[in-house]
Structure formats: C-alpha cells, structure tokens
Amino acid sequence: MTQAFRVAGGAMLDRARPVSFTFDGVAYGGYEGDTLASALLANGVRLVGRSYKYHRPRGIVSAGAEEPNALVGVARGPGRFTPNLRATQVGLFDGLVAMSQNRWPSLAFDVGAVNDLAAPLIGAGFYYKTFMGPDWFGKNWAWRRVYEPAIRLAAGLGAAPSEPDPDRYVRYFDHCDVMIVGAGPAGLAAALAAGASGARVVVCDENPAPGGSLLAETHAQIAGERAWVWLAEALAALRTRPNVRLMPRTQVFGYYAQNFVALCEGVSEPELIADPDLPRERLWQMRAREVVLATGAIERPLVFADNDRPGVMLADAARRYLHQYGVKVGERAVVVTAHDGAYRAAIDLKEAGVKVELIADLRDEASGPWPGTARAAGIRVATKAAMHEVRGRRRVEAVRLAAHPGGMRTISCDALLMSGGWTPSVHLFSQSRGKLVFDEALQVFKPGASAQRERSAGACNATFGLAKALAEGDAAGRAAASAAGFAAPDARPYAVDGAPQADGGMLGAPLHILGDRHAKAFVDFQNDVCVKDVELAVQEGMRSIEHVKRYTTTGMATDQGKLSNMNALAIAAVAQEKTIPEVGLTTFRPPYTPVTFGAFAGPARGDLFDPIRRTPIHDWAAERGAAFEDVGLWKRAWYFPKPAESMHEAVARECRTTRAAVGLFDATTLGKIEVVGPDAAAFLERMYANAFMKLEPGRCRYGLMLSEAGFLMDDGVIARLAPDRFHVTTTTGGAPRVLAHMEDYLQTEFTDLKVWLTSTSEQWAVIAVQGPKARETIAPLMEGIDLANAAFPHMSVRDARVCGVPTRLMRVSFTGELGYEINVPAGFGRPVWEAVWRELEKRGGCAYGTEAMHVMRAEKGYVIVGQETDGTVTLADLGLDWAIGKTKKDFVGKRSLSRPDIIAENRKQLVGLLTENPNVVLEEGAQVTEGATPPLAAPALGHVTSSYRSETLGRSIALALVATGRSRFGEMLHVPMPKGPIRVSVTSPIFYDKLGTRLNA
Amino acid sequence: MLLIPCPYCGMERPELEFRNGGEAHISRPLDPSAVSDADWAEYLYFRSNPKGVMAERWRHVSGCGRFFNVLRDTVSDKFLAVYRAGEPRPPIGAEGSSA
Amino acid sequence: MPDAAVALRSPLERLALPAGDRFALAETPPAARFVFRGGEAARAACSAAFGAELPARLGLGGERERRAALWLGPDEWLLIAEGADSASLGAEIEAALVSAPHSLVDVSHRQIGLLVSGPVAARALSAGCPLDLHLSAFPVGMATRTIFDKAEIALWRRGATAFHVEVWRSFAPYLVAALAEAARGAPEG
C-alpha cells in the first residue's frame, strides 16, 4: 500500500530518508521522523488493536503518551521485543517490526470479540461477583480450578518477551538547580529564563523533538516571528549554553520526596546502530533544587455511543498529524466538539483538502474567534448537537446526530474528530503531594498549594493560550532560578499574534447517554469502561472515587487517568448527585507512562547484580576445580573434588585426611574487628557474655555475643594482642552486623569508654591449618615463635613471621584437631597459602572446603550461629552458659537471662540425634516428635538443625533443638517424614573426642 | 530517596548512606538488674510508632559513621530537626504537625 | 622482608582496566594505610607525626608529599602514605602518641586505591554514588566516605576529571566492572 494519506508538510519528517516497516506482517513505507502511528495513518491503516475486555476493534485516538488503543509489540531482532508500546510514541526506523495485541487469530478476525456480545455478563465488577462457587470439590474449587486459570489466560495485553534482553541499560544519579519538565512553550520560556541565570538547568521532553504545541503551531507569531522560527531560535540558544541540558525522548515518570525526580531517557534506533556503546535506555535519578512543571494538557474525548470506532480521533491529534507528519486522517470528516479548539482543527484540515462535512457543537452556541473563522471559511456549523450513532465496525462509515439547524441527520464520513476540552496534566504535581483544586469556571483540577519546591506553568496549570503560557513559563523559570540561589534575568515579554485563545469544554456524558443501559459509550477506551459501568458501580454502593476506579478499572493500566479520569469523575458525581470536588480525584501514581524493566534493572544483572566477593585464595581453589558455595556475597570453596569424585566422596576424604594428617582451609571470610583503646577490655566485657578483664595478652577466648533480649547473636574467637588491643573475629555473615551493634552501644550507651573499632575483615587472609600434623606443617615456614605446646598452647596468639611476612598466628580449632590460623596481610594471602600447601602435600594433607568444616565441627558439637540458632536461642539452650562471666554485674543481654520465658523449664535444648539406621541422614529442618505418628496439629518437640554423614564415625549424625532435650539422653524419638517416621535416639551433641585431647595435643 | 541532614557532616546527604536506628530516647537502664521484668520488656520491645512527629535515630553508616537523632514527620516524611546523640529532644515549632 | 617467592598480589591483577581518552582506571601505587581514631589531642599529635594535617571536619583531604589524611568521621581518618612501610610508619606514629588515647590500625591490605579519570569519570561514578559530583558541589581535594551502589568507598577528588577511590579489596573487581559499564556510552558533561 502506498502512503495514500500523505500530504504536503510534516515538520518532523525527513522526506529524504524513506524507511520501510511491517505491521502484522504487512510491509509499509514511511519517513524518518514519523511515529509508527503517523506512518500507519499515512498508509490508511485504521484498525490497530483490540480492546482489553470486549475485544472491540480500535484505532488511533491520539498523537501522544495518552494513546489508549494503539498498543503494539515492537521487535528489533532476537530478544529485542517490547510489548504494550504506544504506537504514537514509537519512532519509526527502517526495519521496524510491529504487531498488534490482544487478538487471535488475527486483528481483523478476533475470536475474543464474542466478549462484546457477552458484555451484559461482564460489566463492572464482574470479577468480584460472577466467579463465586460452585464448591463441588472443596472450598473455592471453581475459582481455583476453572475461573482463575481462564481469566489469567484471557487477561493482559501484550505478551512478555521470552528471551534475555541483549540491550544495555544504565542508570545515573544526577543533580541540577532547575529541572524543567516539558519543552513546550511554557517549558522553553522557563528554560531560557533559568538558563540565563547561570543555574544548572535540565529540560526534558518525552518526545523526540522538543517544542510541544509549537510543533503544530501554524498561525501564531511570537515576538514577530513564525512560531517555528522562534522555536528553532530558542532551541539553538539553549544548546549554546553549557549550563543547560536539553533531553529529548526523556520521560519524567515519577516525582518523589525532596524533588527527587525519575527520568527515563530513550536512545533512538539510528543512534543505537551508529554507536554500539550506547545503551538502549538511561534511567536518571535526578535531585533538583527547584522544579518547573510545564507538562501541558491532554485533550479530552467526548462520551457518546460507539465513540470507540476506528476513525474516531481527538481533534487536535488530527491537526498534529497534519502539521507534524503530513498526514490527513481521512477524506471526509465530521467534527463533534464542546471546545473551540476543534474548529481550528477543522479549518486546518479543510485547508489541506479534507472535506469537513459538519462541525457539530454540543454547546448551545458557538461564538468566539475560531467558530467565526470556521464559518467564514465555509464550514457548516451546527449547535446543541447530540450524537446518536456511529456506523461502521472496523472503521467509521457514517454518524447519525441531531443538531441545530438541521435536526437529525446521517452523514457519511471516514473520520470523526472530537474534542471535549483540555485536561491539565497534573500527574507529576499530584505525585509531588501537591494539593489539587477544582476551578469551577474552567471545570478542571489544577495545581493548588505546593508540597515541594516546584511551580507549574502553562496548560498544566490551567493557563491556556500561547501568550499566557509563555509569560507564565518565563516567570516560573525566573522564580525557580532565584529560589535556587541564582540572579534571575528580567522578565521577558513575548508578544503573540495570530493565535486567539480557544475556550470551552465539557465533562462527563450528555444527558441522553446517562442511564442508557444499552449504549456503549466509552469513558475509558483502554479498560473498556462505559458510562453504564460507572453508574453501576455507584448504584452498587461505591461512593469513593477510589472504589469506583477499582470496581470499574477506569484509569488503570497505561492510561493512569490521562483520558478517562475527568469524564468518569463527572459521571460518578452526577450519579451520586454530588459536585465534582465532593467526589474528589483518584491518586496519581508513578509511573506516568510505562517504564521498561530494563531501565529499572539497569546494569544490575549477571555479574553486576551483586558484588561477588572472592578471597585472595579463591583463584587457587578455582584452578584446582573446587566447587563454591555462596555465603552472603562471598564465594567460599565448598569442597575440592578429585577427578570422578562425588561431593560425598570428596567431603569424606577431606574429613578423613584432616583428622588423620592435616587439612588446609580458607577462613578469610571471617569478620574481624580491631578493638583498641585503654578501655578495650572493659568494652568487650559489656558487649560479650564472657569475661575479658583478666584475659592475658597472647591469649584467646571464645566470645559469645548476645542481643539485649538475651539471645545468641554472634560468636568468634577474641584474641588479646596487648593490654589495649584486641583482635575480634565474627561469623562470616555477621561482620557488618556485629560492628554496627558495637558502634551503636559505644556511641549511644557506653559513651564513657575510650575505645575505638576498626574493621579488619579484609586486612587479613586467614589460612587455617588443622590436624595432628598441623604443627610440623607450619613449623618450617615460621620465624620468631616457639610452637611447642607449652609455649604456644591451644587458644593463644603470637606475632611472628611466615615466609618473611608478618603474621598474627593463632592456635585455635574449629575441627577439634590441633589447629592454627595464620593471619597474613591479604596481599600475601595466596603466596603464603601456596607455601603452606607445599609443606602440607609433603605430609599427605589436603585442602578442605566449607562442607567438611561443617561436618567436622558438628562431630565436635560446635554450633554455627544461624544454623543452630535463629535469634530465639540462648546460651543455656545450647549448653554454652559455662562461658558467661558469672561475676560481671552487667553486659548486653544479661538482664534478659532472668526473664520468665528465658528461664522456663520446657525450653528447647541442643542435643545430638542418632538414627536407628546409621545410613539414614536426616533432613535439616525436619520436626522431632515424641510418637511415630503424632496427631495433626500437635506441636513438635523440636527440629533438626544440622545433619551430616560422618566419615569419622562411620554413620550419620545430627544436631537438634529438642524441648528439655538434655533430660532425654537415651530416649527414642521420631522424625516424621513423607515416607514414614524415622526413629532416632537422643545423645550428647558432642560425638567425637569428648575430652578434647586432640585439641590440646 | 530522602536527603538527610547529618549534624556531624554539616550537610544533607543521600539516604542510601544511612541506616535507620529506630526510635530515639530509649535509654538503656543504668542498672538493668534493678528493673522489673515488665519494665525491661517495655524497654526491649515497646515503641511509640506515632503518626506525626517522631524522634528517631539514624546512623550515617556509609559517611561519617555517627549515630544522631532527628525529628521526622512520619506523614510528610519531612525532617523537622536534627541533633546529636545525647542532646535533648528539641521543642517542635508550629510547622511540626503539618502533614 | 618477605621471602623471594612471596610477592604482593592485587585483586585486580587479572582484570583488563579501561584505559581510554574518555575514561581510564588504574590501581594506585602500593601504600601504607591506617585508620586513625581518637580525639582532638590525638588528631593534633598524629598530624605532626604523620606529616600531613588530619582535617578537623568534612572537606578537603590534608595532603603533603605523598601522604594524605582523609576525614572519614569526627574521630576517624584514613591515612595513606604512598610507598611507605606500614610497620615502621606505624611505630613512629605510636611513639608520638603515647599520652593521647587513640587507635591506629593498619589497613594497608584491607583496601586498594583506584584512580578514576577522564571526561566521563564523574558520570561513571554517579552511576552508583548518589552524591552531587559537580565541581561546584564536590571540589578538587574533597574527600568523604560514601557508597557506590552495593560497595562502600572513600572518594577523594584529585582533579576536575580525576578521582581517587578507596575500596575494600573483595569489592574492587565489582567496582571496576561497574565503573567500566557505567562509562561505556556515558554522556559527557
């Protein structure tokens, strides 16, 4: 098909650059600068979509972000598919592939259209009342098994893409002094004024070309120049200013507290192709000192029967298609209006060769300059009009209407242009929490008191007319600049000629539509809400406009009230016999227009989703084929399988080797805090349950940290390096929490203490050497230390040198074997590890991972915070109350230890569990019960916290928290599982080397 | 994202640098052993959670590291006053209850 | 001295750092680093011993002859001494501070320094750092602890288009990758 509806003009087009595209598989031509919508119209395509609920044929209604019908999917190659784009905002590019939505099998023949016939059954609120019962197969059976799956299948508009998106998305924080939203006449006047002050100014516009209404302004002269010329000069002036940033194709979609504004900037297809480094979209999180809202207004549809037929379009949209894109929207047009602006559209269309059959004005009279000009141009005008019928299903063929003079008539036409007046775009103002006020004279909601540092200018402030918009924009720009602390320029007068103001408008539906249960007079095209649906909602008891909105779904989805809000509100007001302000307005919520998931996700996917923290020894482990597990953000070596070895076999070998000879373990991820100052010991006395005052330098203690509520919060070895210096270790995951907890008490409760905290978690690589041959393994590498048992016993710390590198050497164990932890500066971690490894290999040792570490510590009954504990477990529960410094008057958590629920006798206690069948390994988290088949809802005695196959003991072992567990040693209990109960006996949680002789070897 | 005035840095800084520390002026009893079980439970678990002006703690954890107190209107999210830990709660002006 | 086989390793050693005209990343030279904490008396004594002034408040870093002291908090400073031996420098400072309670902790290996430079350096940093990095708000010499997305950093402006970033070593590869990604196709200005 050729571009039969293309005419001369079209300020946006580059006629030297024709492009081709497809829509539902059919190839069409257009020009660079077209939108998908303008190109479809140029090619005579009128049917572009199917409505959400009734699947009615729909056409393009608007020329902007408010488009409710022309939602399409756009593909740009594999993985690059975006559903639900408004064709009016899709820039045309060569090779674009677009497809219609919500139809099957095709747009022209859509099976779902039977819904249109079933409309009486699926009116407002049908979700809430139609789908009750029958409960034949249990409560809510029909809903769960029949209705909900069917509705889910039918619901939704576009299909989500199924492949990963290959495009890049980035996001930046940014700051400016003056943020101007909208680059129409008011926004540009504001930008010129604020820019002249030297302030950092950002001007955004959602469209590819800034200019707003000026882009279609054919009559007006500004300061003696054609509007287009003025626009070009204004943009050129702004572009020369280094302090002004002009951002086209940038949607301001959210306005948050303290002038935090969210912008989504699109990058055009030609730019993307030209520069592969460019992202598809940029999300800007902008903090603005001052904001100027110049977001314009949106033309309102009229409400009449079958006002949704393809070919029914907003009057000013038709004018914009003509002037911006060189497209006439039909050959024979009828205009129906309650606003003078539509006359202007009629005049322009007539000049372009469109036959304008009639302007039918709903008002009693049509006076003022624009109706006068229209009449003078020979266009027939009739008033007191009432629309009765729109004929044609997939496109308008004729309208039947009554008007004076002439009475009832039927007029053939292929375009029906409508205007109900203009609704200020107050979305962002409302998001900023500003209070809207209703202007009785203009019948609009407009910005009232500001909640933030912003001001509105132009049509969004209900200041209509070019001259007034420019003046108000200039004033707003100057006000914003001076409020941001800059010297604003003098007011700049803008003389405007040739564009008289257009007035008028109506809200709601005309009388003959109200109460008509048969008319399909749409209030919300996108959500298929008719006048009768709003009335039904009120009749069924919805009073609040928020309830009406939810019951009918009006103003939801991408519409967000752009087209439908005011008409729905007026109809609800009439139905309730209230005024519009009494009924009130629904809340505007971000985003103003849909934003892609890509923009929100930005770079946070794959390796950049979260930091991946690796120890200095990580690569060594990776080179040896270690399997890793995630522990918080850390990657930890889990086990080191030899070729063809299973995880189970590897872990068994690692445990066996460590217990028999020596094992090497990367403990770098442990948290470390250096506590320094004259009151360091006193501080630790208060923060930990243990006593520290008498701990000698060179000695270590197993520290237990309680929350103030008395529960175990963290644990770790604490080494006293000097009278005023401690090296505190924490769990891997607990490091930031413990430091914050300590800082909290130090800064806000124990302010009398002279002590300071510094995280050293990453200063040290920690190389754990464990096993009977640990001493002889490290001895050849150590200098400046006597490793003999007497000189350096269990739980000691010394400064020494390893491989010539300074080390804090600790003799500690988490395996129950003779063990050392070699702390070396992290940058030397890998070479020292490798040196130890060479010594270890000579002695038949191996590296072991976190799994073997877990098994070996469980064999010894050592708890892991977060595994044996869940924030409700006390030291007494764990059998660790021996560690409490009994003589201390106070420490964090002490007072809670005498609370009634903490000293209660039936608390769960840590025990060991041995399965009757030694080969059965219990599930961690499984419940422990008294009987084999406990009655339903009987509380369990406790649960399994850790469970492993122990190579050392040749059987499975488990730790569990069981009510009064320590009095149950020897008892048989049960662990009920889906395949039947498992019998277990209760034992001590220490399975191996109960006396600790290996530890002290 | 809020901007939070930090009294130690002397400037407003982005919320992402801060952690909220819950209600302010909940002092740990000087001698917990002298406190009844009921009063201790009150100290541990009970907070006022007001609609309107609330004194709360913030820590500029990824900035200067300090805890401090603010008066914030929980309806408007506005910071009405900011003061250092240990200082008394300032009296609220007429704008304090504004929503 | 470390044994011959024991060479210092960097968490960035396997990464290709961007080195273009618009954007470049480089690891700063090895340095002794300390976190110094203490009151006003300790601050004054430490300034004298360290050789560069520990700033009394948030603002410009104190800097003198390859030694810099950055204000992190009212009782907390980051000391960076390029090329210095941390053991001997630490001992010198401790010796000068016997009478003033304080905490001096060696963090030379806890973190690394990254020089972020080029016309889009500030823009790339602003991908994760919510501070206003415009020269008028964050002048040359300004230093502060802040965040870059999910990593905590210390940020020190060295020039109109150059920043020194200190980051914990396990977060460094993430920071490098995130900055490189943010710089790619970033608009200048």
Side-chain angles (χ1 to χ4, degrees):
Chain A
M1 196 186 292
T2 57
Q3 299 175 44
F5 289 82
R6 191 74 78 176
V7 294
M12 311 301 301
L13 299 186
D14 185 347
R15 300 247 183 185
R17 292 174 176 273
V19 300
S20 57
F21 67 101
T22 68
F23 178 65
D24 280 347
V26 179
Y28 300 99
Y31 295 103
E32 213 166 283
D34 260 324
T35 63
L36 177 59
S38 67
L40 287 170
L41 288 169
N43 285 283
V45 178
R46 292 293 179 274
L47 173 63
V48 295
R50 289 274 172 173
S51 72
Y52 177 60
K53 198 159 82 176
Y54 302 132
H55 290 249
R56 284 171 65 102
R58 289 287 167 81
I60 294 163
V61 169
S62 76
E66 66 272 28
E67 176 59 37
N69 289 339
L71 299 188
V72 296
V74 172
R76 300 174 293 109
R80 294 184 165 91
F81 176 80
T82 313
N84 295 336
L85 290 177
R86 296 152 304 283
T88 50
Q89 292 193 300
V90 174
L92 199 67
F93 56 87
D94 201 42
L96 177 145
V97 175
M99 51 219 79
S100 59
Q101 302 183 155
N102 210 37
R103 82 290 187 271
W104 185 83
S106 76
L107 188 56
F109 176 75
D110 174 22
V111 167
V114 296
N115 282 6
D116 201 11
L117 304 175
L121 300 177
I122 54 177
F126 80 103
Y127 300 99
Y128 303 111
K129 52 194 179 194
T130 309
F131 301 104
M132 301 295 187
D135 291 346
W136 289 336
F137 302 101
K139 191 167 163 52
N140 290 333
W141 165 83
W143 171 254
R144 287 186 288 112
R145 296 291 177 200
V146 181
Y147 302 137
E148 189 180 358
I151 290 172
R152 286 200 181 280
L153 199 64
L157 290 167
S162 55
E163 296 160 298
D165 186 339
D167 283 332
R168 291 172 61 239
Y169 297 83
V170 296
R171 57 185 177 205
Y172 301 103
F173 293 102
D174 207 349
H175 300 75
C176 66
D177 296 314
V178 178
M179 166 93 219
I180 297 164
V181 188
L188 290 174
L192 289 167
S197 76
R200 270 196 281 170
V201 177
V202 172
V203 196
C204 295
D205 197 281
E206 64 187 353
N207 297 303
S213 66
L214 296 176
L215 293 171
E217 181 53 70
T218 46
H219 295 69
Q221 301 226 320
I222 303 172
E225 290 176 315
R226 299 279 306 269
W228 284 344
V229 176
W230 183 87
L231 171 62
E233 288 174 357
L235 293 174
L238 291 174
R239 288 194 175 106
T240 58
R241 286 200 175 278
N243 60 320
V244 176
R245 201 155 104 231
L246 197 54
M247 300 177 71
R249 219 179 267 100
T250 302
Q251 181 71 62
V252 176
F253 64 84
Y255 194 139
Y256 305 91
Q258 289 165 297
N259 274 0
F260 197 58
V261 183
L263 289 59
C264 186
E265 179 189 20
V267 175
S268 75
E269 199 66 21
E271 286 175 291
L272 266 180
I273 291 165
D275 183 353
D277 271 348
L278 288 180
R280 175 83 202 146
E281 289 177 333
R282 298 186 182 105
L283 181 76
W284 296 89
Q285 299 180 78
M286 181 76 72
R287 180 81 64 181
R289 270 184 220 283
E290 300 290 332
V291 171
V292 176
L293 295 175
T295 49
I298 292 174
E299 196 168 19
R300 222 166 26 247
L302 287 170
V303 180
F304 51 87
D306 297 323
N307 59 345
D308 65 326
R309 292 304 186 199
V312 181
M313 183 183 278
L314 292 165
D316 203 60
R319 204 175 64 83
R320 284 177 59 186
Y321 283 117
L322 179 64
H323 295 311
Q324 292 181 215
Y325 305 103
V327 172
K328 57 179 179 179
V329 298
E331 303 289 357
R332 302 174 70 189
V334 170
V335 177
V336 54
T337 186
H339 187 270
D340 296 342
Y343 289 82
R344 193 175 170 186
I347 295 162
D348 289 3
L349 262 61
K350 183 169 189 295
E351 278 177 20
V354 177
K355 192 158 191 296
V356 179
E357 301 284 358
L358 177 71
I359 300 177
D361 199 318
L362 273 59
R363 295 172 293 183
D364 287 347
E365 50 183 297
S367 51
W370 289 109
T373 310
R375 288 187 175 103
I379 301 173
R380 278 203 300 152
V381 176
T383 57
K384 297 176 184 165
M387 297 292 297
H388 284 275
E389 195 185 347
V390 178
R391 292 190 185 152
R393 185 165 165 79
R394 289 185 206 153
R395 92 165 288 173
V396 174
E397 289 162 7
V399 295
R400 202 162 76 88
L401 59 84
H404 175 77
M408 187 72 82
R409 78 210 70 182
T410 301
I411 309 170
S412 292
C413 62
D414 61 354
L416 177 56
L417 309 182
M418 61 180 169
S419 178
W422 292 79
T423 305
S425 288
V426 293
H427 300 71
L428 292 175
F429 173 80
S430 179
Q431 285 180 26
S432 81
R433 294 191 179 191
K435 290 271 178 283
L436 293 167
V437 293
F438 190 68
D439 185 320
E440 288 290 347
L442 294 173
Q443 292 283 293
V444 295
F445 278 101
K446 64 180 189 182
S450 290
Q452 301 200 37
R453 298 174 67 107
E454 54 71 43
R455 69 275 305 139
S456 294
C460 70
N461 198 31
T463 301
F464 295 109
L466 182 55
K468 285 194 251 175
L470 287 164
E472 194 166 84
D474 179 59
R478 287 184 290 112
S482 36
F486 293 82
D490 292 340
R492 183 165 163 184
Y494 290 103
V496 175
D497 297 309
Q501 192 171 326
D503 292 316
M506 75 167 290
L507 294 177
L511 282 176
H512 72 284
I513 296 290
L514 296 175
D516 183 341
R517 285 290 151 100
H518 300 289
K520 288 220 176 95
F522 285 87
V523 176
D524 182 332
F525 298 111
Q526 187 167 84
N527 298 294
D528 272 344
V529 181
C530 295
V531 174
K532 60 189 175 183
D533 295 316
V534 178
E535 292 174 329
L536 183 66
V538 171
Q539 184 191 320
E540 296 197 342
M542 306 300 141
R543 290 292 176 269
S544 157
I545 194 65
E546 297 282 5
H547 289 159
V548 172
K549 170 180 170 177
R550 278 153 189 78
Y551 204 62
T552 62
T553 70
T554 187
M556 292 197 179
T558 74
D559 182 68
Q560 284 305 304
K562 293 182 188 78
L563 289 183
S564 62
N565 247 20
M566 292 308 293
N567 284 335
L569 177 55
I571 293 162
V574 169
Q576 295 190 42
E577 297 180 29
K578 286 181 178 173
T579 66
I580 285 174
E582 279 172 340
V583 177
L585 203 56
T586 55
T587 307
F588 292 96
R589 292 195 174 80
Y592 174 71
T593 47
V595 181
T596 62
F597 282 110
F600 284 119
R605 53 182 180 175
D607 281 356
L608 290 179
F609 179 71
D610 258 339
I612 299 170
R613 304 179 70 184
R614 298 182 180 89
T615 75
I617 294 139
H618 177 278
D619 289 353
W620 183 94
E623 286 157 19
R624 272 149 192 84
F628 290 88
E629 68 168 337
D630 291 333
V631 181
L633 298 177
W634 287 103
K635 290 279 177 206
R636 299 196 71 179
W638 193 12
Y639 56 95
F640 291 81
K642 292 194 165 172
E645 219 177 30
S646 69
M647 172 176 174
H648 171 73
E649 289 161 347
V651 171
R653 174 181 49 76
E654 290 167 20
C655 292
R656 202 166 52 230
T657 308
T658 302
R659 295 244 185 259
V662 59
L664 187 58
F665 177 69
D666 180 5
T668 300
T669 61
L670 286 180
K672 302 158 206 83
I673 300 166
E674 202 141 316
V675 179
V676 184
D679 294 322
F683 175 66
L684 293 177
E685 285 256 309
R686 297 193 201 179
M687 295 309 301
Y688 281 83
N690 320 65
F692 285 96
M693 293 303 274
K694 291 179 182 160
L695 183 70
E696 287 173 17
R699 297 292 299 181
C700 302
R701 184 152 287 168
Y702 173 48
L704 294 154
M705 173 174 270
L706 307 189
S707 68
E708 195 70 276
F711 302 117
L712 181 59
M713 185 180 150
D714 204 82
D715 66 350
V717 170
I718 296 174
R720 190 168 201 169
L721 305 171
D724 63 349
R725 188 176 292 256
F726 289 82
H727 177 110
V728 173
T729 64
T730 75
T731 57
T732 293
R737 185 170 64 239
V738 169
L739 183 60
H741 177 75
M742 286 184 172
E743 278 286 355
D744 193 345
Y745 276 89
L746 188 55
Q747 289 186 32
T748 66
E749 296 293 348
F750 306 146
T751 53
D752 54 319
L753 299 181
K754 288 225 174 317
V755 57
W756 294 272
L757 314 172
T758 303
S759 172
T760 49
S761 294
E762 295 226 38
Q763 166 70 12
W764 303 101
V766 184
I767 300 163
V769 187
Q770 304 272 311
K773 295 183 178 174
R775 186 181 289 116
E776 59 179 274
T777 299
I778 67 167
L781 307 172
M782 292 290 166
E783 294 170 72
I785 184 167
D786 180 356
L787 292 174
N789 198 28
F792 190 46
H794 182 54
M795 296 303 266
S796 302
V797 62
R798 298 283 184 274
D799 279 334
R801 298 185 88 77
V802 57
C803 309
V805 174
T807 175
R808 277 179 190 169
L809 183 66
M810 295 184 192
R811 181 162 169 202
V812 289
S813 174
F814 200 47
T815 57
E817 302 296 332
L818 163 68
Y820 299 92
E821 286 184 359
I822 307 169
N823 290 269
V824 289
F828 297 115
R830 175 151 184 188
V832 172
W833 171 280
E834 287 176 339
V836 176
W837 172 251
R838 286 188 289 274
E839 294 298 326
L840 184 107
E841 273 195 306
K842 293 178 200 164
R843 291 162 181 84
C846 75
Y848 65 93
T850 49
E851 187 66 19
M853 177 270 279
H854 276 243
V855 175
M856 288 189 279
R857 66 88 204 177
E859 289 166 349
K860 285 290 293 177
Y862 295 154
V863 303
I864 287 187
V865 171
Q867 184 147 351
E868 271 66 44
T869 72
D870 59 5
T872 68
V873 178
T874 68
L875 294 182
D877 298 340
L878 296 170
L880 291 173
D881 41 344
W882 53 264
I884 296 173
K886 300 288 187 300
T887 60
K888 292 203 289 180
K889 186 168 183 296
D890 186 22
F891 58 85
V892 174
K894 179 180 169 75
R895 172 63 185 86
S896 292
L897 300 183
S898 58
R899 296 188 64 213
D901 50 337
I902 291 206
I903 54 177
E905 289 188 349
N906 60 345
R907 288 189 66 85
K908 292 175 186 169
Q909 296 168 332
L910 186 73
V911 296
L913 294 183
L914 291 174
T915 50
E916 205 170 46
N917 176 348
N919 294 320
V920 171
V921 180
L922 296 172
E923 289 279 340
E924 290 179 353
Q927 305 286 295
V928 180
T929 60
E930 193 111 44
T933 51
L936 278 177
L941 289 175
H943 66 278
V944 177
T945 59
S946 293
S947 176
Y948 308 96
R949 154 109 204 143
S950 163
E951 174 73 4
T952 310
L953 301 166
R955 57 154 303 131
S956 68
I957 57 168
L959 298 174
L961 285 166
V962 174
T964 65
R966 282 195 291 270
S967 66
R968 294 176 184 268
F969 287 179
E971 269 184 42
M972 294 303 290
L973 297 176
H974 294 85
V975 175
M977 296 299 290
K979 287 182 181 168
I982 301 167
R983 278 167 64 82
V984 295
S985 65
V986 182
T987 72
S988 153
I990 306 172
F991 299 97
Y992 181 67
D993 188 27
K994 286 191 169 61
L995 297 177
T997 49
R998 302 178 68 86
L999 204 60
N1000 295 301
Chain B
M1 182 178 54
L2 299 175
L3 283 175
I4 300 175
C6 173
Y8 294 93
C9 291
M11 64 186 294
E12 285 185 326
R13 301 271 291 220
E15 184 185 351
L16 293 175
E17 292 180 342
F18 295 82
R19 293 287 176 281
N20 184 282
E23 187 166 358
H25 306 297
I26 310 285
S27 290
R28 188 173 191 269
L30 284 175
D31 181 6
S33 66
V35 175
S36 71
D37 282 342
D39 286 349
W40 187 250
E42 186 78 20
Y43 161 71
L44 285 181
Y45 296 118
F46 290 84
R47 299 295 181 264
S48 64
N49 192 26
K51 178 180 181 180
V53 180
M54 172 172 185
E56 63 187 4
R57 308 181 327 140
W58 285 85
R59 184 179 178 216
H60 195 186
V61 60
S62 294
C64 67
R66 304 308 292 181
F67 279 91
F68 58 93
N69 296 328
V70 306
L71 296 182
R72 182 174 63 94
D73 187 322
T74 58
V75 178
S76 68
D77 243 359
K78 284 195 171 128
F79 292 90
L80 307 172
V82 51
Y83 51 107
R84 297 183 175 209
E87 291 176 356
R89 174 179 171 147
I92 289 296
E95 82 283 14
S97 56
S98 67
Chain C
M1 286 299 290
D3 298 353
V6 178
L8 188 66
R9 306 291 290 264
S10 159
L12 304 182
E13 63 196 15
R14 282 154 54 126
L15 303 179
L17 301 182
D21 294 339
R22 274 163 47 86
F23 184 72
L25 293 175
E27 190 171 349
T28 57
R33 293 178 174 82
F34 294 93
V35 169
F36 181 78
R37 304 195 66 167
E40 177 55 28
R43 181 186 75 85
C46 185
S47 297
F50 180 59
E53 176 78 8
L54 277 57
R57 60 188 61 81
L58 174 67
L60 308 188
E63 194 183 0
R64 191 164 160 266
E65 289 178 8
R66 299 204 300 164
R67 292 199 175 179
L70 312 185
W71 187 94
L72 297 181
D75 65 352
E76 186 176 4
W77 293 265
L78 176 63
L79 312 184
I80 305 174
E82 203 182 296
D85 171 59
S86 66
S88 53
L89 178 57
E92 280 172 38
I93 296 172
E94 291 287 9
L97 279 155
V98 281
S99 57
H102 69 279
S103 159
L104 183 73
V105 175
D106 185 349
V107 294
S108 305
H109 290 244
R110 181 179 80 171
Q111 55 206 52
I112 64 149
L114 202 59
L115 190 68
V116 185
S117 62
V120 299
R123 181 71 76 209
L125 283 163
S126 76
C129 177
L131 294 177
D132 186 355
L133 300 181
H134 192 262
L135 262 177
S136 62
F138 203 93
V140 174
M142 175 84 179
T144 185
R145 181 159 51 199
T146 180
I147 54 161
F148 181 94
D149 213 338
K150 292 171 180 172
E152 194 171 280
I153 59 171
L155 182 63
W156 181 26
R157 187 170 214 147
R158 309 295 284 132
T161 61
F163 296 83
H164 179 136
V165 179
E166 290 277 318
V167 61
W168 287 13
R169 62 185 300 128
S170 73
F171 287 94
Y174 164 79
L175 181 67
V176 164
L179 283 172
E181 170 65 14
R184 203 179 140 201
E188 291 179 25

